[in-house]
Short mmCIF file of all heavy atoms in Angstrom, two decimals:
data_model
loop_
_atom_site.label_atom_id
_atom_site.label_comp_id
_atom_site.label_asym_id
_atom_site.label_seq_id
_atom_site.Cartn_x
_atom_site.Cartn_y
_atom_site.Cartn_z
N ILE A 131 20.16 -22.64 -10.13
CA ILE A 131 20.54 -21.62 -9.08
C ILE A 131 21.76 -20.82 -9.39
O ILE A 131 21.99 -19.74 -8.80
CB ILE A 131 20.75 -22.30 -7.71
CG1 ILE A 131 21.95 -23.31 -7.78
CG2 ILE A 131 19.53 -22.97 -7.18
CD1 ILE A 131 22.34 -23.84 -6.38
N GLY A 132 22.60 -21.23 -10.36
CA GLY A 132 23.85 -20.58 -10.68
C GLY A 132 23.73 -19.48 -11.73
O GLY A 132 22.84 -19.65 -12.62
N ASP A 133 24.54 -18.53 -11.64
CA ASP A 133 24.53 -17.51 -12.71
C ASP A 133 25.74 -17.76 -13.56
O ASP A 133 26.53 -18.69 -13.27
CB ASP A 133 24.59 -16.06 -12.09
CG ASP A 133 25.78 -15.84 -11.18
OD1 ASP A 133 26.78 -16.58 -11.22
OD2 ASP A 133 25.75 -14.89 -10.42
N SER A 134 25.83 -17.03 -14.66
CA SER A 134 26.91 -17.33 -15.63
C SER A 134 28.29 -17.14 -15.07
O SER A 134 29.20 -17.94 -15.36
CB SER A 134 26.72 -16.52 -16.89
OG SER A 134 26.80 -15.16 -16.60
N SER A 135 28.50 -16.14 -14.20
CA SER A 135 29.82 -16.01 -13.60
C SER A 135 30.24 -17.18 -12.76
O SER A 135 31.38 -17.61 -12.75
CB SER A 135 29.94 -14.66 -12.87
OG SER A 135 29.15 -14.70 -11.75
N THR A 136 29.27 -17.76 -11.99
CA THR A 136 29.56 -18.90 -11.21
C THR A 136 29.86 -20.11 -12.05
O THR A 136 30.78 -20.90 -11.63
CB THR A 136 28.38 -19.18 -10.27
OG1 THR A 136 28.01 -18.00 -9.52
CG2 THR A 136 28.63 -20.26 -9.26
N LYS A 137 29.18 -20.21 -13.13
CA LYS A 137 29.44 -21.37 -14.03
C LYS A 137 30.82 -21.29 -14.63
O LYS A 137 31.52 -22.27 -14.81
CB LYS A 137 28.35 -21.46 -15.14
CG LYS A 137 26.99 -21.82 -14.57
CD LYS A 137 25.99 -21.78 -15.66
CE LYS A 137 24.57 -21.90 -15.20
NZ LYS A 137 23.57 -21.96 -16.28
N PHE A 138 31.19 -20.06 -15.09
CA PHE A 138 32.49 -19.85 -15.72
C PHE A 138 33.61 -20.06 -14.69
O PHE A 138 34.64 -20.65 -14.95
CB PHE A 138 32.62 -18.47 -16.32
CG PHE A 138 31.99 -18.40 -17.78
CD1 PHE A 138 30.89 -17.62 -17.96
CD2 PHE A 138 32.51 -19.16 -18.76
CE1 PHE A 138 30.29 -17.52 -19.24
CE2 PHE A 138 32.00 -19.07 -20.05
CZ PHE A 138 30.87 -18.29 -20.27
N GLU A 139 33.35 -19.66 -13.39
CA GLU A 139 34.39 -19.94 -12.38
C GLU A 139 34.50 -21.41 -12.16
O GLU A 139 35.65 -21.89 -12.01
CB GLU A 139 33.80 -19.24 -11.05
CG GLU A 139 34.70 -19.43 -9.85
CD GLU A 139 34.16 -18.83 -8.60
OE1 GLU A 139 33.41 -17.78 -8.76
OE2 GLU A 139 34.37 -19.35 -7.54
N ALA A 140 33.39 -22.20 -12.23
CA ALA A 140 33.52 -23.61 -12.09
C ALA A 140 34.30 -24.21 -13.23
O ALA A 140 35.14 -25.09 -13.07
CB ALA A 140 32.10 -24.17 -12.04
N MET A 141 34.00 -23.74 -14.50
CA MET A 141 34.70 -24.26 -15.67
C MET A 141 36.19 -24.01 -15.55
O MET A 141 36.99 -24.88 -15.91
CB MET A 141 34.16 -23.73 -16.94
CG MET A 141 32.76 -24.29 -17.35
SD MET A 141 32.73 -26.08 -17.61
CE MET A 141 33.85 -26.30 -19.03
N ASP A 142 36.57 -22.88 -15.04
CA ASP A 142 38.02 -22.54 -14.83
C ASP A 142 38.62 -23.58 -13.94
O ASP A 142 39.69 -24.10 -14.23
CB ASP A 142 38.16 -21.20 -14.20
CG ASP A 142 38.07 -20.05 -15.19
OD1 ASP A 142 38.09 -20.30 -16.40
OD2 ASP A 142 37.86 -18.87 -14.73
N LEU A 143 37.91 -23.96 -12.85
CA LEU A 143 38.39 -25.03 -11.97
C LEU A 143 38.58 -26.31 -12.75
O LEU A 143 39.54 -27.04 -12.66
CB LEU A 143 37.50 -25.22 -10.75
CG LEU A 143 37.83 -26.43 -9.93
CD1 LEU A 143 39.22 -26.34 -9.29
CD2 LEU A 143 36.76 -26.66 -8.83
N PHE A 144 37.53 -26.69 -13.49
CA PHE A 144 37.54 -27.93 -14.26
C PHE A 144 38.80 -28.02 -15.19
O PHE A 144 39.38 -29.07 -15.26
CB PHE A 144 36.29 -28.11 -15.04
CG PHE A 144 34.94 -28.05 -14.20
CD1 PHE A 144 33.76 -27.77 -14.82
CD2 PHE A 144 35.01 -28.23 -12.83
CE1 PHE A 144 32.55 -27.70 -14.08
CE2 PHE A 144 33.83 -28.17 -12.07
CZ PHE A 144 32.64 -27.84 -12.69
N TYR A 145 39.05 -26.92 -15.89
CA TYR A 145 40.18 -26.93 -16.77
C TYR A 145 41.53 -27.08 -15.96
O TYR A 145 42.46 -27.74 -16.37
CB TYR A 145 40.24 -25.67 -17.62
CG TYR A 145 39.35 -25.72 -18.88
CD1 TYR A 145 38.13 -25.13 -18.91
CD2 TYR A 145 39.84 -26.54 -19.94
CE1 TYR A 145 37.27 -25.26 -20.00
CE2 TYR A 145 38.98 -26.63 -21.07
CZ TYR A 145 37.77 -26.04 -21.11
OH TYR A 145 36.96 -26.15 -22.26
N ASP A 146 41.57 -26.38 -14.78
CA ASP A 146 42.77 -26.55 -13.95
C ASP A 146 42.93 -27.95 -13.45
O ASP A 146 44.08 -28.43 -13.39
CB ASP A 146 42.65 -25.59 -12.72
CG ASP A 146 42.84 -24.14 -13.12
OD1 ASP A 146 43.30 -23.82 -14.22
OD2 ASP A 146 42.48 -23.27 -12.27
N VAL A 147 41.84 -28.61 -13.13
CA VAL A 147 41.90 -30.03 -12.62
C VAL A 147 42.41 -30.94 -13.81
O VAL A 147 43.29 -31.77 -13.65
CB VAL A 147 40.54 -30.51 -12.17
CG1 VAL A 147 40.49 -32.02 -11.94
CG2 VAL A 147 40.12 -29.75 -10.93
N MET A 148 41.88 -30.67 -14.99
CA MET A 148 42.30 -31.46 -16.12
C MET A 148 43.83 -31.31 -16.38
O MET A 148 44.51 -32.29 -16.67
CB MET A 148 41.53 -31.03 -17.39
CG MET A 148 41.98 -31.83 -18.61
SD MET A 148 41.63 -31.07 -20.17
CE MET A 148 42.55 -29.63 -20.19
N ALA A 149 44.34 -30.05 -16.26
CA ALA A 149 45.67 -29.77 -16.57
C ALA A 149 46.63 -30.15 -15.41
O ALA A 149 47.87 -30.18 -15.58
CB ALA A 149 45.91 -28.34 -16.90
N ALA A 150 46.09 -30.47 -14.18
CA ALA A 150 46.98 -30.68 -13.02
C ALA A 150 48.00 -31.69 -13.16
O ALA A 150 49.11 -31.56 -12.69
CB ALA A 150 46.04 -30.97 -11.81
N ASP A 151 47.64 -32.82 -13.81
CA ASP A 151 48.65 -33.90 -13.96
C ASP A 151 49.49 -33.88 -15.18
O ASP A 151 50.33 -34.71 -15.47
CB ASP A 151 47.90 -35.30 -13.84
CG ASP A 151 46.89 -35.51 -14.94
OD1 ASP A 151 46.78 -34.63 -15.80
OD2 ASP A 151 46.22 -36.55 -14.95
#
Side-chain angles (χ1 to χ4, degrees):
I131 64 170
D133 58 18
S134 60
S135 67
T136 307
K137 292 177 186 181
F138 279 113
E139 182 182 326
M141 285 302 295
D142 282 343
L143 170 65
F144 304 158
Y145 277 102
D146 289 345
V147 168
M148 180 200 62
D151 59 5

